[in-house]
Amino acid sequence: MPMDSYRIAIIGAGPAGMSAAARAARLDAETGAASPTHILLEGFSLPAKTIQRYQKGKHVMAEPGFLDLRSDIEFEAGSREHILDKWQSGLQANGVNIRFGAEVTRISGSKGNFVVELSSGESLGAEFVVLSIGLEGNPRKLGVEGQDLPNVQYQLDDPKEYDSERIIVVGAGDAAIENALALAEQNEVWILNRRDEFSRAKEGNLNAILAAISDPNQKLHCYYSTSVKSVVPGAQGSTAMVATLDTPEGEVALECERIIARLGAIPPRRFVESCGIEFPNEKRDAKPELSRYYESNVPGLYVIGSLAGYPLIKQAMNQGYDVVEFIGGNFIQPADHPLLEYQFNGLPYEREVDDLIERFQSLIPMFRELNSLAFRELVIESNVIVSFPDGPEYAEANKKAESLAARLSQMAKPPRMTRVIREGDVIYEPGEFGTSFYTIVDGEVTLERESDGVTHTTTLSRGEFFGEMSLLSGRPRLERAIAGASCIVVESPRRTMVKLMNSNDTVREGIEWIFVVRELQNQFAPNASVADLRDISGRVQIHNYKAGETIFTEGERGDSLHVIRSGGVALSRNIDGEDILVAQVRGGKRIGEMALMGDPTRRETARASVAVETIEVSRAEFIELVRDDRDQIRKLQDAVSQQVTDNARMAVRPESGSVMDFLMDEGLGEATNVLIINEALCVGCDNCEKACAETHGGISRLDRDAGPTYANVHIPTSCRHCEQPHCMKDCPPNAIRRAETGEVYINADCIGCGNCEQNCPYDVIQMKYDAPPKPGLLRWLLFGAGNGPGEDQGASPTEAAAKKGKKATKCDACVDQKAGPACVNACPTGAAMRIGPSQYIDLVEERRR
């Protein structure tokens, strides 16, 4: 019996496969085909198996928002049930030839003569095959003891099945977030994120989870930077389990009735490779090599959907439409083509978008292994910067850019476009707190770094990148970046890069490697090139320490030093049986140098004050780094000598060490700018609070009376402007910024989600309505109108303020006031002062006197 044959066989009835089949069916109808030239094969009993398995009532988002939908089947954001109904109707309306329960076990043959074998033993013929099988496979398990206990599950069908349980949800993606939110409606839920933010979540889910975590009325809690270490059954006769969590503060035992792990699935690589499709490498996140039209290395065999590179429904449906059009001979442009045209509009040459994308990707080694779809999205979310010589070329390019900007400004959400600058313009200055990441596509960029009055220059060229120091460590820019001749640079925002680093090992390893190289340059070898440091950078060790963990111990023999990559370290000495704090060392500094430059016996114990990451440099690497640079050796010796002197000052004065202990216990180890009040001088006039309110629209951003005190040193409730601000983490509109001088402030983009208030460990952020207008000062003085200077605590919000809602409010250190902080200026006795870490020793010394 001859087997049935079709022009196109589409395997998998997910969003991509349905869209491809609907396009094929529509073309059949338009050409008047006597019988279907296509078939859609689905092993499950219903279409969209993955969506069918979503939790009931789940809201499905239509991401990415910047893309238009291109499909013969409707799709817009809505409930799971509504979308499935629409898709079922769309399949019927388009006359899609679909077979359910048709599991494909093998694909063989070649273009024009493929054979598709089914588990039933039947075979079908096809000229072209489109694989749309997604990433369905075995779910990734916890990988720890207890991962297969009865109540440890890797799927959630209906959150309403569970009531009044304690449930741990493991994962940071959309599925985990949606499960946690739904379960929290009638259960106590903890969501575990092994990263320090939800970098992979869609914007809607990100906003929802942050709002829920911040809401004290919701039973949803979050552990960041946390993983499950083990799971064991609870006490005999109990339905509970005990999960041991590995958190930044140490191990935590958490009792629960259920664990739901949403860690993704293992893709069906073996089946895909059996079809002859090749993967670029053996890494778990590898995707098949595809042409711009989704054709694999096997001619006539196409891959679309999440297996092609990105699991977003709208993208998948667009791919399904496009691939059938391409097979039919219609070479249409992808839906994101116009956005990329705007991005490339200002470049000094005319080339097709797809050619430019391929060129950009081929010129940047770190991005070569990225799937082309992922790279296209990276470019769309980034800024493209191009430099021109000052003169007619720049004027013409700038005029062209301004004309396009005026045209795009009429759009509801204008897309990004090329940013035109002059050769020699500064891209960023040292000391700035930017977090974007820069990749050089063409030309050169010069980095200038000042050290003891000497300017060290590094020239970067095509394929290299910069800005990784601030991206990874949160520290300010260390160098000046200057645009060279005809340079083209891609500036990617932090959230985009963090998401990419978390999903792609090659990108993460490349960025972390160059970070180490540049840190070695900064600390030890400013005149060495990247090539000079390539070998050494591979031999140094990266360490992570939790708060309270010991890095090295007083009295032991040392043979290495540590560069603090992020966090802060407390150095203490044991004097008469008591640990006395002698120094607090922050990110970007070194500890333990004396072991390599003097007595190898450690003089102090080093402990992590907060979560700390260090680069450990052994004696051999240290000698190699500084061997031929006598000036650098002298500078290192001078720095060590000063550190020894400062530590000795603290060690011989235990009372000073006690004050320093107090400061560190209150979190000043991570502060960059903190308000201190000397209570021996303070008269309680509250002029500081009143001045703060008058400077900030009637709302005081400090509470003088609140906060701890020790030995007349009072720390009021006021922002510390942390080196790595907790409040910045997961701010949905990116409303929390850092000024070039370091002050952390909140701009007008705040949406009032309250996440920053929740994340701040020092309770310095308040959610407030705009204060109502006050009578003028003269009316208060002459007629007693109003409450006078300061915040009116009893005032009710105006109608406009209530409609606007509460917004986050915090100290900004009067960043925009030329005279400096109003609180300090208003203090009549000089009791109030704002200081940074370099002044802590002076503060405690002054207290002793």
Side-chain angles (χ1 to χ4, degrees), residues 158-235:
D158 185 1
K160 300 298 183 185
E161 291 181 14
Y162 310 112
D163 189 11
S164 303
E165 290 190 1
R166 293 160 295 177
I167 301 175
I168 297 174
V169 177
V170 185
D174 291 304
I177 290 172
E178 290 156 1
N179 287 177
L181 290 169
L183 289 166
E185 293 180 12
Q186 53 196 44
N187 300 278
E188 186 92 3
V189 177
W190 290 262
I191 184 168
L192 309 188
N193 183 346
R194 68 188 183 96
R195 308 285 183 182
D196 60 359
E197 57 189 292
F198 292 95
S199 60
R200 294 184 291 116
K202 298 185 185 78
E203 184 176 356
N205 278 337
L206 174 64
N207 294 346
I209 191 68
L210 298 182
I213 294 168
S214 302
D215 187 348
N217 297 316
Q218 292 225 33
K219 295 182 290 185
L220 180 58
H221 322 282
C222 179
Y223 276 102
Y224 287 100
S225 302
T226 294
S227 58
V228 178
K229 189 171 183 180
S230 67
V231 184
V232 297

Side-chain angles (χ1 to χ4, degrees), residues 40 70 83 125 203 207-208 250 290 363 440 464-465 502 630 648 716 747 778 782:
L40 175 58
R70 181 186 287 170
I83 287 168
E203 184 176 356
N207 294 346
L290 305 174
L363 293 176
I440 304 172
E464 296 187 281
F465 48 89
N502 288 347
R630 300 190 67 82
N747 68 19
L778 286 178
L782 299 176

Side-chain angles (χ1 to χ4, degrees), residues 640-800:
V640 170
S641 177
Q642 183 61 51
Q643 180 183 330
V644 169
T645 300
D646 289 341
N647 292 358
R649 287 166 59 194
M650 298 295 292
V652 299
R653 294 170 178 168
E655 67 278 18
S656 297
S658 298
V659 176
M660 184 69 85
D661 263 331
F662 162 71
L663 298 179
M664 296 306 107
D665 287 344
E666 296 304 322
L668 269 65
E670 57 179 340
T672 66
N673 182 330
V674 63
L675 180 64
I676 298 289
I677 294 178
N678 183 347
E679 289 209 329
L681 298 176
C682 178
V683 294
C685 64
D686 280 336
N687 280 1
C688 51
E689 281 195 40
K690 294 173 184 175
C692 181
E694 293 303 307
T695 308
H696 296 101
I699 298 175
S700 176
R701 302 181 178 197
L702 74 92
D703 186 340
R704 178 197 63 80
D705 195 44
T709 302
Y710 180 82
N712 283 335
V713 175
H714 179 60
I715 306 174
T717 300
S718 177
C719 184
R720 290 146 161 80
H721 303 274
C722 301
E723 182 176 87
Q724 292 182 284
H726 303 269
C727 56
M728 279 187 178
K729 181 174 64 179
D730 277 338
C731 175
N734 196 28
I736 304 180
R737 304 293 180 87
R738 190 153 213 161
E740 294 180 9
T741 45
E743 296 87 353
V744 179
Y745 64 95
I746 302 173
N747 68 19
D749 294 333
C750 175
I751 60 174
C753 70
N755 192 51
C756 55
E757 180 187 35
Q758 178 75 15
N759 283 337
C760 176
Y762 306 114
D763 297 324
V764 303
I765 300 180
Q766 309 168 70
M767 305 304 296
K768 291 271 192 175
Y769 291 112
D770 287 347
K774 284 183 171 183
L777 180 62
L778 286 178
R779 290 187 62 196
W780 172 67
L781 286 171
L782 299 176
F783 306 108
N787 288 340
E791 181 175 350
D792 184 355
Q793 299 287 351
S796 299
T798 63
E799 183 178 344

Side-chain angles (χ1 to χ4, degrees), residues 154-460:
Y154 300 90
Q155 179 68 37
L156 176 66
D157 295 326
D158 185 1
K160 300 298 183 185
E161 291 181 14
Y162 310 112
D163 189 11
S164 303
E165 290 190 1
R166 293 160 295 177
I167 301 175
I168 297 174
V169 177
V170 185
D174 291 304
I177 290 172
E178 290 156 1
N179 287 177
L181 290 169
L183 289 166
E185 293 180 12
Q186 53 196 44
N187 300 278
E188 186 92 3
V189 177
W190 290 262
I191 184 168
L192 309 188
N193 183 346
R194 68 188 183 96
R195 308 285 183 182
D196 60 359
E197 57 189 292
F198 292 95
S199 60
R200 294 184 291 116
K202 298 185 185 78
E203 184 176 356
N205 278 337
L206 174 64
N207 294 346
I209 191 68
L210 298 182
I213 294 168
S214 302
D215 187 348
N217 297 316
Q218 292 225 33
K219 295 182 290 185
L220 180 58
H221 322 282
C222 179
Y223 276 102
Y224 287 100
S225 302
T226 294
S227 58
V228 178
K229 189 171 183 180
S230 67
V231 184
V232 297
Q236 189 171 4
S238 169
T239 60
M241 301 176 288
V242 177
T244 300
L245 310 183
D246 193 2
T247 80
E249 287 74 37
E251 292 186 2
V252 172
L254 188 59
E255 193 175 69
C256 62
E257 277 79 36
R258 192 172 309 278
I259 296 176
I260 299 174
R262 305 307 308 269
L263 304 172
I266 302 169
R269 180 164 177 157
R270 182 177 299 178
F271 170 76
V272 176
E273 289 180 322
S274 75
C275 302
I277 296 176
E278 297 174 355
F279 287 76
N281 55 58
E282 295 298 320
K283 294 182 177 179
R284 63 173 186 165
D285 57 0
K287 300 294 186 295
E289 293 277 15
L290 305 174
S291 74
R292 67 176 65 172
Y293 298 108
Y294 317 114
E295 190 170 21
S296 72
N297 59 286
V298 178
L301 181 51
Y302 298 81
V303 180
I304 59 175
S306 54
L307 184 60
Y310 231 70
L312 300 180
I313 293 173
K314 194 188 296 184
Q315 273 183 331
M317 295 181 76
N318 285 348
Q319 292 167 20
Y321 182 101
D322 292 352
V323 74
V324 172
E325 286 288 322
F326 171 69
I327 291 173
N330 182 13
F331 295 81
I332 62 174
Q333 299 291 357
D336 62 11
H337 187 85
L339 300 175
L340 290 166
E341 280 188 318
Y342 297 136
Q343 286 281 60
F344 297 144
N345 182 72
L347 298 184
Y349 37 74
E350 299 285 340
R351 297 181 72 168
E352 287 294 319
V353 163
D354 289 328
D355 291 336
L356 285 170
I357 282 289
E358 288 181 6
R359 176 175 170 78
F360 273 39
Q361 192 167 6
S362 68
L363 293 176
I364 305 171
M366 184 175 64
F367 293 145
R368 285 176 191 161
E369 290 189 32
L370 273 186
N371 175 272
S372 60
L373 279 174
F375 184 71
R376 290 174 81 98
E377 186 164 349
L378 169 70
V379 174
I380 289 171
E381 293 179 352
S382 301
N383 291 313
V384 177
I385 305 171
V386 58
S387 70
F388 290 88
D390 195 11
E393 285 185 66
Y394 169 76
E396 182 181 348
N398 198 45
K399 182 178 179 182
K400 181 181 176 182
E402 289 175 348
S403 174
L404 178 62
R407 182 156 53 91
L408 297 182
S409 66
Q410 306 303 314
M411 300 173 64
K413 188 176 181 180
R416 300 176 188 269
M417 50 174 286
T418 314
R419 175 185 162 200
V420 176
I421 63 175
R422 298 179 181 85
E423 293 176 7
D425 277 359
V426 173
I427 298 172
Y428 60 70
E429 291 279 5
E432 291 183 11
F433 279 87
T435 55
S436 51
F437 179 81
Y438 299 84
T439 313
I440 304 172
V441 176
D442 221 340
E444 295 180 341
V445 170
T446 299
L447 302 183
E448 293 181 352
R449 181 178 298 175
E450 301 286 337
S451 177
D452 296 328
V454 178
T455 301
H456 301 278
T457 300
T458 303
T459 300
L460 305 180

